[in-house]
Amino acid sequence: MPSYVVAGASRGLGLEFVEQLAKPGNIVFAMARNPSQSKGLQALSKKPEVHILKADITDPVGLRAAAAEVAKVTGGSLDVLINNAAYVSKKYEFLQIDEFATEQELIDDFKLSFDTNVLGPVLTTNAFLPLLRKGHVKKVLTLSTGIADAPFVLKAEYAYSPAYCVSKTGVEMANVKYAIKYKKEGFVFLAISPGVVNTAEEPAAPEIIPKLQEMAAAFQKVAPHFKGPIEPNESVSAMLSVLDRATIKDSGSFVSHLGTREWL
Ligand SMILES: NC(=O)c1ccc[n+]([C@@H]2O[C@H](COP(=O)([O-])OP(=O)(O)OC[C@H]3O[C@@H](n4cnc5c(N)ncnc54)[C@H](OP(=O)(O)O)[C@@H]3O)[C@@H](O)[C@H]2O)c1
């Protein structure tokens, strides 16, 4: 029975991963920092395949406790870890690198981005590695983004979301470090971009719409076929198919939901 941990399972792509993986024959551990506040997760917890874990990915003690919970159910192993959780600031998303109102705001956004988007997946991976080493599948999927690919960003001339983009570039290198260390043990560490996906829980505020249009125009410079966001079910089923096909020779790579370096 393959076992999965999905980090950041309260909403968006994380919730969709749980939904798609919760089928007979799988064991799915849906991890969230506030599971009781997620209606979607509460509904999915009724499925026999789903187990709920409470942990913040920046808290190593909580992560170790979550790993101990998993071990109790599986007998000490885990097959697949999905590092999906991330922080994207709504307040600073459409600022450029020198446009923060104060240096303190820039510092806070960069630190929270680093803590959540780089250290978070590293701490989560380290907490679950002892279990993953005893698993049969040995795969770790970490969500990054096409706007952390420097050639794409340069070509699109996309200057927004500096802290987020820098942090996602950082987690790609963490993925490489794990791939090198665990190659001999047959692990596959994959960084993946989900595409541009509509995970918003509310319609965009009117003042954001011109920014979203600007973003779409920037992306169309690189990918003229880009029409707008895809839905979570399409993105997640594509990512799971890439994960399924990935072999040891892919370990350490950073690809899109299409399984290539085409981000859109
Ligand atoms: N959507 C896109 O177009 C897109 C594009 C490129 C990359 N991505 C990447 O895909 C992943 C999922 O994106 P999304 O759009 O689904 O994001 P989202 O809707 O913003 O959801 C983020 C998830 O991360 C969780 N989270 C944040 N900080 C956490 C922490 N410290 N501990 C535990 N959980 C934490 C959130 O939990 P709470 O509910 O508790 O806040 C939530 O479940 C992210 O890694 C994102 O960077 C998304």
Side-chain angles (χ1 to χ4, degrees):
M1 255 194 192
S3 52
Y4 297 81
V5 166
V6 180
S10 62
R11 55 193 165 94
L13 294 172
L15 189 64
E16 181 65 30
F17 272 116
V18 176
E19 172 111 48
Q20 292 196 21
L21 290 168
K23 55 186 184 195
N26 286 345
I27 309 178
V28 187
F29 297 92
M31 192 165 80
R33 51 186 169 177
N34 293 308
S36 61
Q37 286 174 24
S38 164
K39 282 192 187 137
L41 210 46
Q42 291 307 315
L44 282 176
S45 71
K46 296 190 174 65
K47 291 196 168 197
E49 301 85 10
V50 177
H51 301 255
I52 304 290
L53 301 173
K54 180 173 162 60
D56 186 310
I57 59 161
T58 62
D59 169 23
V61 175
L63 287 167
R64 277 198 296 274
E69 289 299 309
V70 171
K72 273 190 218 158
V73 177
T74 62
S77 67
L78 173 67
D79 290 308
V80 178
L81 169 65
I82 300 178
N83 282 313
N84 162 81
Y87 157 74
V88 191
S89 166
K90 287 213 175 12
K91 185 170 176 191
Y92 306 123
E93 190 177 5
F94 291 108
L95 287 185
Q96 300 190 31
I97 199 157
D98 60 351
E99 291 179 348
F100 287 76
T102 65
E103 281 184 338
Q104 193 55 51
E105 286 184 67
L106 178 145
I107 290 166
D108 291 347
D109 192 37
F110 270 72
K111 282 189 171 167
L112 189 51
S113 298
F114 187 84
D115 285 353
T116 310
N117 301 348
V118 184
L119 278 178
V122 168
L123 292 171
T124 307
T125 304
N126 288 354
F128 286 100
L129 261 170
L131 278 66
L132 287 159
R133 293 176 86 178
K134 292 186 189 144
H136 296 297
V137 180
K138 295 188 171 62
K139 288 186 175 177
V140 178
L141 187 69
T142 299
L143 279 276
S144 184
T145 169
I147 54 171
D149 176 53
F152 174 87
V153 174
L154 275 169
K155 208 167 164 190
E157 298 186 278
Y158 190 70
Y160 293 136
S161 303
Y164 175 71
C165 293
V166 169
S167 66
K168 287 292 190 177
T169 308
V171 82
E172 282 160 47
M173 184 51 76
N175 181 60
V176 171
K177 298 294 180 190
Y178 282 116
I180 295 165
K181 165 113 200 242
Y182 286 98
K183 192 176 175 179
K184 285 201 186 93
E185 293 190 32
F187 268 86
V188 178
F189 284 90
L190 207 60
I192 197 159
S193 165
V196 177
V197 193
N198 180 17
T199 54
E201 295 188 303
E202 292 162 7
E207 66 274 18
I208 294 297
I209 290 169
K211 299 290 184 193
L212 294 172
Q213 288 165 342
E214 206 184 314
M215 180 171 82
F219 292 176
Q220 281 162 348
K221 276 194 232 167
V222 188
H225 65 273
F226 177 67
K227 295 274 185 295
I230 57 174
E231 291 304 312
N233 61 348
E234 182 183 348
S235 169
V236 167
S237 68
M239 287 192 282
L240 287 175
S241 157
V242 173
L243 180 69
D244 201 39
R245 294 195 305 272
T247 66
I248 182 78
K249 72 174 173 31
D250 302 306
S251 195
S253 62
F254 169 37
V255 295
S256 74
H257 61 303
L258 305 170
T260 65
R261 302 279 296 186
E262 299 295 318
W263 307 113
L264 297 165

